[in-house]
């Protein structure tokens, strides 16, 4: 079964479509908002404006499961994104973990390039880079919440 798609429209007219790991019976609005804001930042290269409308739709058919207005979205954003900044030691530890993941990905890539069999560890490399990206995204949420 494919997870529902979260469609968010930002105040400047940009729209994102993000597949959220949830079910139609248990929608994860906080995850949809987080993924949409990260996608906006990645695509546009700046902090996203507020989301004005959003909805979850069924995959492939785009049949609406649930719609959210700006009031519901602001209430959710206020509740899910207002975390205190981590202590400096925690931030350093998390950055170290991210660098370790990147280092592991580089090591796997070098091993793949030097092996005669040219074995395919692409999934392992991608997993390491995804882990690093998740850590850095999480730290980005902490940084934006602290400022």
């Amino acid at each position: 079964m494919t997870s529902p798609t979260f469609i968010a429209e930002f105040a400047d007219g940009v729209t994102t479509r993000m597949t959220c790991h949830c079910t139609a019976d248990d929608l994860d609005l906080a995850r949809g908002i987080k993924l949409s804001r990260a996608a906006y930042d990645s695509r546009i290269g700046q902090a996203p404006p507020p989301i004005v409308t959003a909805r979850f739709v069924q995959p492939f058919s785009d049949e609406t499961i649930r719609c959210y207005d700006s009031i519901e979205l602001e209430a959710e954003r206020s509740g899910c994104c207002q975390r205190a900044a981590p202590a400096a030691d925690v931030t350093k530890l998390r950055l170290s973990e991210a660098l370790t993941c990147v280092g592991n990905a580089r090591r796997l890539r070098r091993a793949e390039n030097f092996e005669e069999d040219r074995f395919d560890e692409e999934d392992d490399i991608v997993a390491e880079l995804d882990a690093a990206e998740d850590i850095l995204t999480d730290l980005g949420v902490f940084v934006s919440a602290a400022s």
Side-chain angles (χ1 to χ4, degrees), residues 23-98:
T23 65
D25 297 329
D26 188 23
L27 299 171
D28 192 347
L29 178 59
R31 182 173 176 80
I33 291 171
K34 181 179 177 180
L35 291 173
S36 293
R37 292 177 59 80
Y40 183 101
D41 182 35
S42 175
R43 292 176 195 163
I44 309 297
Q46 62 188 25
I51 298 173
V52 292
T53 62
R55 67 185 188 275
F56 275 101
V57 298
Q58 292 288 354
F60 310 115
S61 70
D62 275 359
E63 179 184 331
T64 300
I65 300 170
R66 173 115 197 270
C67 291
Y68 301 91
D69 61 19
S70 57
I71 296 169
E72 291 173 297
L73 294 167
E74 181 58 32
E76 180 64 30
R77 192 182 74 76
S78 298
C80 74
C81 297
Q82 298 301 319
R83 299 187 287 182
D89 290 342
V90 173
T91 301
K92 287 180 185 176
L93 176 65
R94 298 291 286 157
L95 286 173
S96 174
E97 290 171 355

